[in-house]
Amino acid sequence: METQAAQKRASRIPLPFKLLFRDPLAGAAAVFLIIVTACAIIAPMLIGHLAEAPNFRARNMAPFSLEQGFAYILGADTLGRSLLARLAVGARNTLGIAAIAVMCSLLIGGTLGLIAGYSRGWLGNAIMRATDIVMSFPSLLLALIVLFSLGPSIPNLILVLAITRVPIYLRTTRAEVLEVRERMFVSAATALGASDLRLIFSHIAPMVLPTVLTIGAIDFATVVLAESSLSFLGLGIQAPAFTWGSMVATGRGYLANAWWVAFWPGLAILLTTLSLNILSSWWRTYADPHQRWRLELGKKERK
């Protein structure tokens, strides 16, 4: 009876979660990202005030000490501010900026890709030529030019991150549309008198969306690294606000006597991008029906 009850409980678990947590590496990456996201949402409400409040008694406090309380378990910076609190607030800023930039680039690039793929006239060619111009510039160089011209701020940072990633979604969407628009159900809808907008957004877009979302999940780690790089160079978010990249920039001058100031945000960037890459690679395999058998095979071998 207990075995049957356990089997019934297991059958109620969605298949993606079953396969995910049977892969130790992908499961660990998912758990880490859940913890980071939860800390980014909840922790600033609890200890966020310590991220900007100086505490000169705790200046350059070494990590793993509870003299000033648990909030200082990872140490303190040169002004005595809790690194744990700053990591939580920095996670909210870093992940929030990256998420908004990815959503904007996905929306803009996906929409333009639908138009470029469906249109057979000058409009599609014009969109692709404009995309070629954007891609001709190295993304980091383009970001530096735009931020130097407009000035560093959160809206400008999101704008430049979105613009540099738009060509990826545009070209991917266009390639998918070129294949989907030749299928029989699109021809049938055209014969029944469906308008171009109905064909694009009701028939073609739902077929393309899973691929674009997979690209977005893969691209999220790249945007996090790009944002951290720009903040490290001083062209991202400006004080008193901060991200993980600006925390690393603040701590680089104290590596000799307070290495932990730069180490913890650098480690957070490393583990977050690594987890995102591992999880997106797993999702790419799961989302492809022709590759999903690899996950199923691993499940059977463990049995």
Side-chain angles (χ1 to χ4, degrees), residues 212-264:
V212 178
L213 291 177
T214 302
I215 297 297
I218 297 171
D219 195 46
F220 191 86
T222 304
V223 177
V224 169
L225 283 176
E227 186 282 325
S228 299
S229 301
L230 292 172
S231 294
F232 179 82
L233 295 173
L235 293 174
I237 194 170
Q238 298 297 297
F242 57 90
T243 62
W244 286 341
S246 60
M247 289 177 65
V248 174
T250 301
R252 63 180 173 178
Y254 303 95
L255 292 175
N257 55 356
W259 54 266
W260 50 88
V261 178
F263 174 78
W264 295 121

Side-chain angles (χ1 to χ4, degrees), residues 158-240:
I158 294 173
L159 174 65
V160 74
L161 289 174
I163 289 175
T164 55
R165 310 311 297 176
V166 160
I168 296 174
Y169 300 97
L170 195 155
R171 285 178 168 269
T172 302
T173 304
R174 178 178 178 272
E176 289 287 318
V177 172
L178 288 174
E179 188 272 330
V180 172
R181 75 179 186 183
E182 303 299 330
R183 293 188 183 181
M184 188 65 69
F185 70 90
V186 177
S187 301
T190 304
L192 292 173
S195 64
D196 290 339
L197 288 177
R198 183 176 179 83
L199 285 172
I200 292 174
F201 293 104
S202 297
H203 296 279
I204 298 177
M207 300 294 295
V208 176
L209 186 60
T211 301
V212 178
L213 291 177
T214 302
I215 297 297
I218 297 171
D219 195 46
F220 191 86
T222 304
V223 177
V224 169
L225 283 176
E227 186 282 325
S228 299
S229 301
L230 292 172
S231 294
F232 179 82
L233 295 173
L235 293 174
I237 194 170
Q238 298 297 297

Side-chain angles (χ1 to χ4, degrees), residues 15-16 19-20 23 26 210-211 213-215 217-218 276-299:
L15 180 61
L19 298 179
L20 174 62
D23 185 338
T211 301
L213 291 177
T214 302
I215 297 297
I218 297 171
L276 285 168
N277 282 318
I278 292 173
L279 196 59
S280 60
S281 177
W282 178 90
W283 175 255
R284 181 169 50 189
T285 303
Y286 175 80
D288 186 355
H290 300 291
Q291 297 292 327
R292 193 180 302 172
W293 63 270
R294 299 177 184 274
L295 302 176
E296 296 283 354
L297 182 62
K299 169 183 172 182

Side-chain angles (χ1 to χ4, degrees), residues 5 9 38 44 47 58 69 80 112 139 151 196 234 253:
R9 286 195 297 269
I47 58 175
L112 292 177
S139 58
D196 290 339

